[in-house]
Amino acid sequence: MTTEHTRTVEPQQRSAAPRLLWWCLGALVAGFGLSAALTAPLAVESRLAVGEWGAIAVFAVVAVPLAVVDGRTRRLPNAGTFPLAAALLGYWAGLSTTTGQWQLLVQAVLTAAGIFAVAAAIALIGTLAAGDIKLFLAIGLLTGWFSWLLPVYALVVGYVLAVPHAGVLLARRRRTPGADTHLPFGPYLVAAALLVTVTAAIL
């Protein structure tokens, strides 16, 4: 029975990566197409602002359900985090095509790589999970378009928002040793990313 189960699982594992890659490629193309279709018909002076709000909406539509999943299951699935990052990359590429703001695309990509590395380093001390690190690819792409420092602000604000929940879990651990006190950080990261990005877009 063990052998049959292994034979069944292995093909599924081998097919997961190619399937995820196709999802990411589809999200990349869809993001580019959405951005171009949204901004190309507009007057040149309106494209950047409208496009930026469109990116915030794209992030919210995907990231908020991901945050709900993390809150319920303590897990951020690859099928959500990686395609979201790909969609934002494609979206910013489309906006750069219609506005000529290629330097902002480069800034977003480099900033996303930087905050991803920072998140991976923080994970080594145990305050971020693997799903949170992957989510930072999308957060870095979203916020990095607006400012080099905005992803750092999102990280800090995420920790601040999570403090009350962390305090409740700490009190529970003291009262009930062995209780599940794992903090789902995804909802706070998503809320922080939206908060700082909306503020940047308004200002």
Side-chain angles (χ1 to χ4, degrees), residues 2-3 15 28 32 34 45 47 56-57 70 73 75 77 79 99 105 131-132 136 145 153 158 160 175-176 188 190-191:
T2 303
T3 303
S15 64
L28 182 73
F32 184 95
L34 174 62
E45 62 273 13
R47 291 175 181 173
I56 295 172
D70 189 33
T73 67
R75 182 175 176 271
T99 63
L105 175 62
D132 300 325
F136 263 108
W145 174 275
Y153 296 156
V160 171
R175 291 196 308 267
T176 312
Y188 300 106
V190 170

Side-chain angles (χ1 to χ4, degrees), residues 130-172:
D132 300 325
I133 300 172
K134 297 165 189 174
L135 181 61
F136 263 108
L137 285 174
I139 291 175
L141 284 167
L142 176 70
T143 57
W145 174 275
F146 295 89
S147 167
W148 292 97
L149 289 176
L150 208 61
V152 178
Y153 296 156
L155 176 61
V156 173
V157 171
Y159 274 108
V160 171
L161 292 176
V163 165
H165 192 175
V168 171
L169 292 178
L170 181 60
R172 182 185 301 172

Side-chain angles (χ1 to χ4, degrees), residues 44-151:
V44 175
E45 62 273 13
S46 302
R47 291 175 181 173
L48 183 60
V50 172
E52 288 175 346
W53 282 107
I56 295 172
V58 168
F59 178 84
V61 165
V62 181
V64 170
L66 281 176
V68 173
V69 170
D70 189 33
R72 292 176 176 174
T73 67
R74 309 296 195 270
R75 182 175 176 271
L76 285 165
N78 292 343
T81 53
F82 286 131
L84 174 57
L88 287 172
L89 178 60
Y91 187 96
W92 287 139
L95 186 58
S96 297
T97 301
T98 59
T99 63
Q101 297 290 339
W102 294 101
Q103 75 281 5
L104 294 181
L105 175 62
V106 173
Q107 175 179 293
V109 171
L110 293 179
T111 306
I115 198 64
F116 179 82
V118 170
I122 294 175
L124 294 177
I125 62 176
T127 58
L128 286 176
D132 300 325
I133 300 172
K134 297 165 189 174
L135 181 61
F136 263 108
L137 285 174
I139 291 175
L141 284 167
L142 176 70
T143 57
W145 174 275
F146 295 89
S147 167
W148 292 97
L149 289 176
L150 208 61

